[in-house]
Amino acid sequence: MPRLLIFTDLDGTLLDHATYAWAAAQPALDRLRSNQVPLIFCSSKTRAEIEPLREALENRHPFIVENGGAILIPAGYFTVPLPPHRTIGGHLAIESGAPYPVLRRTLGEIAAAADVTVRGYGDLTVKDVAALTGLSIEDAARAKARDYDEPFTIEGTPADRARVLDLIEARGLRWTRGGRFHHLTGPHDKGGAVRQLSELYRQQYGRMLTAGIGDSLNDLPMLGAVDRPILVRRPDGGYDPDVALPGLEFANGIGPAGWNAAITALLQATDVKTPPP
Ligand SMILES: [Mg+2]
């Protein structure tokens, strides 16, 4: 019987798109905890944003920040050898992201070359970010503490947007889209981080059954890297049409309500009873 390992997106998936509340997912969160199933946060959010969430949700597991920019692992969590890493904020960090100053500079160059107005988080004040996201001032400041991923908006026609995105690819960088913003990253995504972390669990525990749950295009690489990919409904009740994948399961519910239904069903179907040692 393989052990279950779950990767989850946060914004619009475990957390409500507008209020960032997870109350609707609490029953399934409780079941995961009582069954000791590792729940891995895998988000475009920063370390500064995810750390307080882990505290609030009493989550003691590794987590993936800024669309796969780094995997952060609590010291002593694994006994198997880790890939090259450094220590950041008391966690062991396996980094694959491009440095944020490089992303900022490149985004500016691309906007100039495309002659399009592009606004990144680095161009915005904390107040701007709070207004655009509905985050508190304190949380918006945490969202601006970025290391590997720049969220941005493009002002212009679809052709302007396409020109900016093409230039990003021509530079060897990547773009993706979350619930609110486009994102510029180095050559990494959620999927690479999910594969790398799943492999560490396999080395430590043997066979694992992996599940992933998300709502947007930036979750597609994560969903492609797990055995059981699950998509929740967006606030308008529909599914993101850009997320297509063989074997994709469609949760019947928006954000955390869909999360609760899908994870409850997954736990029942996989008959998880045995906690890890
Ligand atoms: Mg999301």
Side-chain angles (χ1 to χ4, degrees), residues 69-124:
I71 304 168
L72 291 146
I73 302 173
Y77 188 88
F78 293 110
T79 57
V80 295
L82 297 183
H85 58 273
R86 62 189 182 111
T87 303
I88 302 178
H91 293 109
L92 311 179
I94 303 170
E95 298 174 283
S96 54
Y100 185 70
V102 172
L103 298 177
R104 286 286 306 150
R105 191 171 62 237
T106 310
L107 190 63
E109 290 167 4
I110 287 170
D115 196 20
V116 173
T117 301
V118 175
R119 269 188 241 284
Y121 266 31
D123 301 309
L124 303 175

Side-chain angles (χ1 to χ4, degrees), residues 184-254:
L184 174 66
T185 66
H188 67 82
D189 57 33
K190 289 187 177 188
V194 165
R195 283 194 183 85
Q196 202 170 10
L197 188 51
S198 298
E199 183 53 34
L200 285 173
Y201 276 95
R202 287 192 187 97
Q203 288 172 13
Q204 184 79 54
Y205 296 113
R207 276 180 68 205
M208 304 295 298
L209 177 73
T210 58
I213 181 162
D215 73 318
S216 294
L217 182 64
N218 66 324
D219 299 313
L220 184 56
M222 168 181 79
L223 298 176
V226 296
D227 302 313
R228 298 282 301 265
I230 305 166
L231 190 65
V232 299
R233 292 183 189 272
R234 295 169 66 93
D236 66 4
Y239 296 99
D240 188 330
D242 291 339
V243 182
L245 190 75
L248 184 61
E249 300 169 34
F250 294 89
N252 191 12
I254 296 168

Side-chain angles (χ1 to χ4, degrees), residues 8-10 41-45 50 64-68 190:
T8 185
D9 173 49
L10 294 174
F41 296 161
C42 181
S43 175
S44 59
K45 283 184 176 298
I50 296 180
I64 295 166
V65 302
E66 298 190 50
N67 282 315
K190 289 187 177 188

Side-chain angles (χ1 to χ4, degrees), residues 142-178:
R142 293 175 178 277
K144 267 176 64 70
R146 310 202 69 86
D147 293 313
Y148 320 100
D149 167 300
E150 176 70 333
F152 65 94
T153 58
I154 309 170
E155 285 169 27
T157 63
D160 291 334
R161 270 202 295 283
R163 212 157 62 246
V164 168
L165 300 179
D166 285 349
L167 282 168
I168 289 172
E169 291 173 16
R171 296 278 194 124
L173 297 175
R174 290 191 193 171
W175 64 271
T176 187
R177 188 178 45 67

